[in-house]
Every structure is written in C-alpha cells, then in structure tokens.
Amino acid sequence: MIVAIDGPAGSGKGTIASILSKKLNLVNIDTGATYRCVALKVLRNKLNIDDKEEIIKLSNNIDIRFDINNNVYLDGIDVTKEIRSKEVTNIVSPISSIVEVRKNMVDLQRRLGNSNNVVMEGRDITTVVFPNADFKFYLDATLEERVKRRYKEYKEKNIEMSYEEVYENIKNRDYNDSHKEVGSLMRTKDQIYIDSTNLTIEEVTNKFMEVLK
Ligand code: DC
C-alpha cells in the first residue's frame, strides 16, 4: 500500500505523514530528507553549488538510510538534525533541480516504497515516483500560514532564522520547486486536495482518515 502526499514546504506533510504512519502502521518516508542528505554532503565536501558534475558524482555514491523512528543516516552517520540546518535548507532546492540527482533519489525512493507499506511525502510522489499510488493527496496552505508554522518550528528547534529569512526561503523554494525541468510540484486532477490553512492538525488528520478508511 502506498499513500502519496505532495505539497509545498510548511503545508504539514511531515506532521500528517508521521500521524498516519502510526495510525495505519505504515513506514513513513520523508523524501525531502534524501535531497537534504545530498545538500549536506555537498556542504561537507565543500563543493561549489554550481558544480553540477561533481554534485551528480556525489549523488551516485551516497548511502542514505532511514530507521523505524525516521532517523536519517548519511554514509552510516545519524544526520537527522543536521539536514534541517539553515545552511542545508538554503541550498537544497537548487540541488534537487539537477535531473541526474533526482534520478538517483527517485530510484532510492522507489526501492523503499516497493519493499514496504508506506506513506511517502514530497513534491513529485503523486506524479513521478508513484503515479499509481493507492492514494494521492496534495496538501496545501497559504504562504503566510506556512511561513508562520516554519518560523515557530525553527524557534522550538533552536534553528536561528528570522521571520524574514524563513519567508524568503519558502517563497524562493516555492518558485524553484514548481519550476523544475523534472519533478516539479504540481496539482493534478487525480490528487485529493486538502487546504490546511484554517484547520487544526486533528482536523487535517480526520480529512485524510475519511478518505483512507
Ligand atoms: O520537504 P522538504 O522541505 O524537506 O524538502 C527539501 C527540498 O527537497 C525541497 O525544497 C524540494 C526538494 N524535494 C524535491 O524536489 N522532491 C521531493 N519529492 C521532495 C523534496
């Protein structure tokens, strides 16, 4: 069984996927984390973010794993926290635009989805990774609401980013993530659309559960 959820940054995909995975006993796969691992490795290896060739090479030889608690391991080391840093967040979207990087990550995501019952969230899960998923959702919220949520989340996690920085980052990522050569975030007729702007987490969960039941 594959439950696919796409949507922009801050729409609540991660929160809902985590709740659904527990309720329905599914493995929760955060595909953004795979691109974040590539971005972290680019930073660690001090690559220039315009050096596509080297970034592609790096993505050909990267070991990314998840454990059952959704911790993320890059080349064997737990990077769950580090991949959420401001530095990674600022470069991940352009890196995820590189077509060959996407191929590698999509292969990995498909392997994970084919060997488990999963709830998988990202930008192109309903369109590219698993277009035949059992359930396909698009989770949305206004830019202002998403910035507000992320800013609050970063404060709680002690990630130092001003409201303006979060706003700029999400606005830029929205644009970049929906203008990719391959794997753009898009709405399609066969997705179930849910707008979470004025809903509580419980209300959003109920909307998903009504469909999944
Ligand atoms: O969901 P997130 O914010 O952790 O994702 C980080 C970036 O990774 C996002 O800006 C775009 C990219 N991404 C992607 O291109 N395709 C996906 N399926 C998931 C994420």
Side-chain angles (χ1 to χ4, degrees):
M1 153 125 139
I2 297 176
V3 179
I5 310 174
D6 286 325
S11 57
K13 304 184 300 292
T15 306
I16 294 300
S18 163
I19 294 172
L20 294 181
S21 71
K22 291 185 187 102
K23 276 188 185 285
L24 302 170
N25 203 18
L26 302 171
V27 176
N28 177 8
I29 300 177
D30 165 10
T31 62
T34 65
Y35 295 99
R36 286 175 179 272
C37 281
V38 177
L40 178 59
K41 198 162 176 179
V42 165
L43 289 174
R44 282 190 175 166
N45 290 9
K46 299 196 167 50
L47 296 186
N48 184 321
I49 83 151
D50 297 319
D51 190 348
K52 280 193 185 177
E53 216 170 288
E54 284 300 315
I55 297 176
I56 293 165
K57 263 196 219 158
L58 176 152
S59 82
N60 290 336
N61 288 303
I62 194 166
D63 177 22
I64 301 169
R65 289 166 206 255
F66 295 87
D67 70 12
I68 47 163
N69 298 317
N70 234 10
N71 294 314
V72 188
Y73 297 82
L74 166 61
D75 297 329
I77 293 164
D78 186 345
V79 292
T80 314
K81 269 201 188 138
E82 270 178 284
I83 58 167
R84 307 277 153 209
S85 72
K86 171 173 160 177
E87 291 73 21
V88 169
T89 303
N90 280 334
I91 65 161
V92 62
S93 187
I95 285 175
S96 73
S97 303
I98 304 171
V99 176
E100 292 82 353
V101 170
R102 299 200 71 79
K103 264 194 205 129
N104 286 330
M105 295 306 110
V106 168
D107 280 351
L108 165 67
Q109 294 157 16
R110 285 189 180 142
R111 278 202 302 277
L112 293 168
N114 283 326
S115 46
N116 299 288
N117 288 324
V118 297
V119 50
M120 189 174 282
E121 51 103 348
R123 305 294 189 289
D124 61 342
I125 312 308
T126 63
T127 54
V128 174
V129 183
F130 285 112
N132 297 319
D134 302 274
F135 297 95
K136 304 206 283 183
F137 292 94
Y138 187 104
L139 186 57
D140 208 357
T142 59
L143 174 63
E144 285 67 26
E145 176 63 24
R146 292 184 286 117
V147 172
K148 222 167 75 187
R149 291 177 188 169
R150 267 295 140 86
Y151 179 62
K152 186 166 166 266
E153 181 190 327
Y154 286 165
K155 264 202 150 167
E156 283 163 5
K157 289 184 178 164
N158 290 324
I159 296 172
E160 284 203 17
M161 255 170 118
S162 69
Y163 185 89
E164 288 68 30
E165 275 181 299
V166 178
Y167 185 92
E168 278 309 306
N169 174 271
I170 292 196
K171 203 174 91 181
N172 291 337
R173 284 205 288 149
D174 277 0
Y175 182 84
N176 196 53
D177 290 344
S178 51
H179 289 82
K180 283 179 181 155
E181 213 177 315
V182 177
S184 261
L185 173 65
M186 61 175 109
R187 280 177 62 184
T188 60
K189 285 204 182 111
D190 57 1
Q191 293 158 336
I192 297 153
Y193 180 82
I194 297 177
D195 184 346
S196 71
T197 307
N198 296 307
L199 301 179
T200 63
I201 294 172
E202 199 187 345
E203 286 168 333
V204 180
T205 306
N206 289 342
K207 282 197 180 277
F208 275 80
M209 288 305 287
E210 271 167 35
V211 177
L212 295 168
K213 266 178 183 163

